[in-house]
Amino acid sequence: MPTSLTAIYLDHRQSLLGRALRIVRDMPTAEDVIQESYLRACNAAQKEPIDNIAAFLHRTVQNLALDHIRRRRTQNRFEAPASGGVDPLEVACNSPSVEDRLLHRERLTQFMGAMDALPDRARRVWLLNRVEGMSYPQIAAHLGVSQGTVFNDMKLAMGHFLDAMARADRA
C-alpha cells in the first residue's frame, strides 16, 4: 500500500466526510462510509496503480453513501420497524376478553337450547351437513328420505336457529 494513498486520504478526509454527511445525514454512518472507501482504495491500489487517488476516494465515498441510502429505503419499505413506537401495554391481546368469553358461552347455550327444540330429523340433517360435511344427496341416502325433504329440514333448522338467536339478541 503506497504511503501516498494514506497521505492523500488524510488530506481529503474532511471533504470526504462532508460529502458523505451531505448524502447520508448521519455522522457515524458518514464515518463508516469514508473508512470503507479508504479500504476499497487500498485493495484497488494493491491490484493496480490508481491514477487520481483523490478522485477515486471521492467517487467511492459518493457511491457508498448512495448505496447506503438505497439500502435504507429498501429496508424501510419492506421491513417493519423494530418497535413501531407502540406501547407494548396498549397492544391488543390475541385471546378474547373475559367478557367476550362469557358472551360466547351464553350464545352457545342459547344455540344448544334451540338445537334441542328442533324435531329429531331436522336436527340430524343439520348435524350431518354442518358437522359431518355430508351433501344433501348423501344425507338423503343415509336417512332414506328424498333430497327435497333434506332441503326442507335444513331450511326449517336454519330458520329456527335464526329466530332463536334473534330472540336472544333482543333479550
Side-chain angles (χ1 to χ4, degrees), residues 93-110:
C93 180
N94 288 337
S95 62
S97 68
V98 174
E99 183 179 275
D100 286 340
R101 284 186 292 210
L102 180 63
L103 289 173
H104 287 359
R105 190 175 302 134
E106 285 178 8
R107 290 197 49 89
L108 180 61
T109 302
Q110 292 162 350

Side-chain angles (χ1 to χ4, degrees), residues 63-120:
N63 290 342
L64 289 172
L66 291 173
D67 287 347
H68 174 78
I69 294 298
R70 285 186 202 107
R71 234 183 348 269
R72 188 169 48 191
R73 283 183 186 149
T74 302
Q75 284 175 335
N76 289 343
R77 191 172 30 195
F78 294 110
E79 293 179 4
S83 67
V86 176
D87 182 7
L89 297 176
E90 294 182 15
V91 174
C93 180
N94 288 337
S95 62
S97 68
V98 174
E99 183 179 275
D100 286 340
R101 284 186 292 210
L102 180 63
L103 289 173
H104 287 359
R105 190 175 302 134
E106 285 178 8
R107 290 197 49 89
L108 180 61
T109 302
Q110 292 162 350
F111 181 80
M112 294 305 289
M115 183 176 281
D116 289 340
L118 274 175
D120 184 49

